[in-house]
Amino acid sequence: MSNIDYPIAKDNDSKSIFKFLVSELKPRGKWITPFNVISIPIMLLGLILIVIRFWKGIGSITNLTQDVPWGLWIGFDVVTGVAFAGGAYVLTFMVYILNMNKYHSIVRITVLNGFLAYLFYAGALLLDLGRPWNVINPIIGNNFGTSSVLFLVAWHFLLYMIAQLIEFSPTIAEWLGAKRARRILSGMTVATVIFGITLSTLHQSGLGALYLMAKDKIHPLWYSEFIPIMFFISSIFAGLSMVIFEGSISQKVFSNQINEKHHRSHDDILHGLSKICSVAMFAYFFLKVIVFIHGKHWQFINTPMGYWYLVEMIGFVILPMLLFFSSYRTRNILMIKLASIITMVGIIINRLNVTVIGFRWDADIRYIPSWMELVVTLAVIFTELWIFRWVVNRMPVLRESPSWVNEEK
Amino acid sequence: MGLNRRSFFKILGVAGATLAVGKSFGAPQKKMENDIEFYGMLYDSTMCGGCQSCEIACAEAYGLPKPTDEPKIGVLRKTDENRRVVVNDYKTSKGEVYIRKQCMHCNEPACAAACLTQAMHKTLEGPVIWRGNKCMGCRYCMVSCPFDVPKFEYHSANPKIQKCDMCYDKIKGCGIPICAEICPAEAIIFGKRRDLIKEARRRIVQNPGVYVDEIYGEHEAGGTGFLYLTPTPINELGFNSAIQKSSYPELSKGFLFSVPTIFVLLPPILLGIHEATKKNQLKEGGENE
Ligand code: SF4
Ligand code: SF4
């Protein structure tokens, strides 16, 4: 399976492209797998709920209140999902800007993952819009709310998705056997990567900056004027933890796609990533401590929210940071994976603390997401995974590029 | 301590503001009251009898259901998607006090700075209005408003944001807001914000002991169009006393100003690093894509 050149690479007339696409659309392999059995009903249920939502209004399936207008869909899908997708800009930075070739074999899968994450999680934003037909206003420019952080973030999402698509496009060209297109597209990579990193820096921090005006609404332990910087730094290790986690799963699930050499180098890659994570986490931790002392937040520690803050800091920042540090020294791969999972849970907790749990923590009616919001969120994630799997099984994402790519050089 | 308040953003922000590109981003409406005279309203809670006339008239004028409950001590009535104004009754150190709540019509409204479609809009006259043909229902205005004013129709497929607009259409036609018109106790007066502050000062000076020496809204959130005279400190009347005295859009200005700076500085730096490291890599003869 690993190194087929599709017949399409030889003859390029349009009829065979069509046939080729149709054949590629068909599912491959077994239908009844545990993943399918779980995901299909949830996706269908999610679809029904989405129809209800557009028919009866957002309140019909969510528990949002007048005090807490942004819930799980923004706090988890968008804010957390985008943090996890941060791996793409960190990795393209390492590979294309720093030219660290060691990580080259995982760039494609990470960019794919990032692109789909943006497509779906930022797409989840549309579900949350009460008047989505007006979404066109800030895009075509008849109403530019340039003083709005959300305006900035929305535009960056859009541009970054395009950038990621271009970054990924050589893979698509290889799949289609489009030699010339591939050459042109891969020539654009460095410029696109630079553009993409700049956009990412700004919108990863921008997601935090969204909450700057909600000064009196977010619990003081989580609000500070440094939210943007903290969101940015934490997106580095959030993204890389996702890369580690996703990589270890892909190694198993898509093992037929990966050749021996990459299998072996994977441990080395994880090892390098864990080092970066530990350093970034240290910087994050340091900043958190400074903000805490600077804000004189001692009086909050001995409250329920204070304990929760300590849980986040000790259990989900210090602990995984130490695990990353020590696994870097002992080269313990299992520990790296464990640390990455704890980090990811910690990121979820942190983002939800800012956006949902600590947001109007003093409201009379606390917002607790409904099961339907959860189902829709899961449905979005599963749909993304389906497409992810479809692409990985067909395009040279994990496996070697077709042989003509190297011949060309 | 090396980290001063906002100093990091400030540095970036100053740099950003000096770049020409900086003009399009950031800089939330700089319409200060010195340039334009905003209209506003002055509400004297010592004169308010809690008769709900304003609530009823407002509901009628905007096609909303009539209020079915009354102000009562111990009951907190809130504005919502069906009412733009509420009157509440509080037991205070100075006895029973009625107080109404609605949009404050901030001089520098957080809601308008937040809105990415300019649907929330500070008009030249002063009222902050919502324009349905622009709004995309993201509810970021609700997240940002420090007074929790904009309300959203969660149970509609064509949801609107509901909030007081100071009867903007009437004002444009030289009328006055319906509540100021209807109030039998004349507790609400409409006028230029500057005149209202003068009037409020006059009342405070002439009736010592009746009012606290403070006009709520004069400085809150950078100054608001709706002004309150109260007999007791405002936190006895269910207001959030944590509201800062400076404008809320200011809080995200630093970030917005730093955007052009980063956009101009970061790409060349990245390109430079790329070029520098490419040489090493060519020596090693690694694969390049
Ligand atoms: S009170 Fe809230 S809704 Fe009214 S103008 Fe100020 S920020 Fe906007
Ligand atoms: S809900 Fe409408 S008015 Fe409010 S910020 Fe979003 S687009 Fe603007």
Side-chain angles (χ1 to χ4, degrees), chain A residues 59 96 131 134 148 210 216 360, chain B residues 114 135 140 148 154 159 248 274:
Chain A
Y96 293 108
R131 308 164 66 83
N134 278 339
S148 166
L210 279 180
D216 313 315
R360 287 309 309 271
Chain B
C135 171
Y140 187 32
D148 274 326
Y154 282 109
Y248 277 77
H274 168 75

Side-chain angles (χ1 to χ4, degrees), chain A residues 59 65-66 69-70 96-97 99 101 104 128 130-131 134 137 143-148 210 215-217 360 364, chain B residues 24 81 113-114 117-118 132 134-140 142-143 145 148 152 154 159 244 248 274 277 281:
Chain A
T65 65
Q66 300 292 358
W70 282 357
Y96 293 108
I97 305 299
N99 280 307
N101 274 323
H104 202 279
D128 204 60
R131 308 164 66 83
N134 278 339
N137 283 341
N143 296 109
F144 271 0
T146 45
S147 60
S148 166
L210 279 180
K215 187 181 174 208
D216 313 315
K217 302 188 186 184
R360 287 309 309 271
D364 333 324
Chain B
S24 61
E81 69 271 36
T117 64
Q118 298 177 326
K134 298 178 190 289
C135 171
M136 57 188 230
C138 66
R139 308 191 293 289
Y140 187 32
M142 301 170 70
V143 171
C145 169
D148 274 326
F152 184 76
Y154 282 109
Q244 62 173 24
Y248 277 77
H274 168 75
T277 52
Q281 186 218 12

Side-chain angles (χ1 to χ4, degrees), chain B residues 102-112 120 122 128 141 144-150 163-164 221 224:
Chain B
Q102 71 300 300
C103 174
M104 300 290 290
H105 299 281
C106 309
N107 289 349
E108 290 182 66
C111 59
M120 279 293 179
K122 176 81 177 168
V128 176
C141 49
S144 303
C145 169
F147 300 98
D148 274 326
V149 166
K163 78 168 200 66
C164 161
T224 63

